[in-house]
């Protein structure tokens, strides 16, 4: 049954899913760092190994911190369009600006029409120039594993709220 006026589909951010991939990298980097320090103590050239481990951990933690805006915004779908979490914060894309959603395993890629620009009426949140080639080309990615609703629920909501006008492939 299609949604009624005023209803909103919300997929909240799953905070544990964001942390899960970080744990093995931090543990692995700590092991490599400690191994490098142990090699250094026994006289082997372990400083390179220790620094490599520390750099891996720093890069992963830095990436996690850099994506904090995506972790703070839920996916919202309503009769007006889709509000996607992006690295710049939430972006609202009205239904008439979207040309397709490509399903790539657990990732959904939201592609906008070629004529859409940051100044298009109704579009908000994607004001950086580097976002538009991604949006009109491969599409803005959304990893459905990072939300409390599964991929099939999200796809069904996209079909229902767009009244079948959105191509999902």
């Amino acid at each position: 049954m299609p949604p009624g006026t005023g209803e909103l589909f919300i997929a909240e951010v799953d905070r544990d899913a964001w942390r899960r991939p970080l744990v093995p990298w931090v543990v692995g980097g700590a092991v490599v760092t400690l191994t490098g320090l142990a090699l250094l103590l026994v006289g082997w050239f372990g400083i390179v190994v220790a620094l490599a481990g520390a750099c891996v951990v720093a890069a992963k933690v830095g990436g996690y911190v850099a994506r904090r805006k995506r972790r703070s915004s839920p996916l919202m779908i309503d009769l007006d369009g889709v509000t996607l979490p992006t690295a710049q914060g939430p972006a609202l894309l009205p239904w008439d600006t979207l040309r397709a959603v490509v399903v790539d395993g657990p990732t959904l890629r939201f592609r906008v029409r070629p004529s859409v620009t940051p100044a298009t009426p109704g579009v908000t949140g994607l004001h950086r120039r580097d976002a538009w080639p991604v949006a009109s080309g491969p599409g803005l990615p959304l990893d459905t594993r990072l939300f409390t609703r599964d991929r099939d629920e999200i796809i069904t909501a996209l079909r229902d709220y767009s009244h079948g006008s959105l191509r999902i492939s």
Side-chain angles (χ1 to χ4, degrees), residues 38-124:
L39 290 174
L40 186 63
L41 288 176
V42 296
W44 292 47
F45 189 67
I47 192 72
V48 174
V49 175
L51 287 175
C55 287
V56 166
V57 171
K60 283 310 244 184
V61 171
Y64 178 81
V65 170
R67 293 187 305 268
R68 69 187 172 279
K69 287 186 180 178
R70 287 187 190 168
R71 291 190 311 272
S72 64
S73 305
L75 168 69
M76 295 186 291
I77 305 170
D78 61 13
L79 295 175
D80 295 329
V82 179
T83 303
L84 295 168
T86 68
Q88 303 144 7
L92 173 63
L93 298 172
W95 292 119
D96 60 345
T97 62
L98 289 169
R99 76 178 151 147
V101 174
V102 177
V103 180
D104 184 17
T107 303
L108 301 179
R109 298 190 180 279
F110 290 81
R111 293 183 178 169
V112 298
R113 297 184 187 281
S115 61
V116 173
T117 67
T120 301
V123 174
T124 59

Side-chain angles (χ1 to χ4, degrees), residues 140-159:
L140 295 169
L142 179 83
D143 190 346
T144 58
R145 296 173 295 186
L146 303 176
F147 293 92
T148 56
R149 304 274 190 113
D150 68 1
R151 183 190 73 173
D152 294 333
E153 281 183 278
I154 295 171
I155 291 172
T156 301
L158 288 168
R159 279 194 182 106

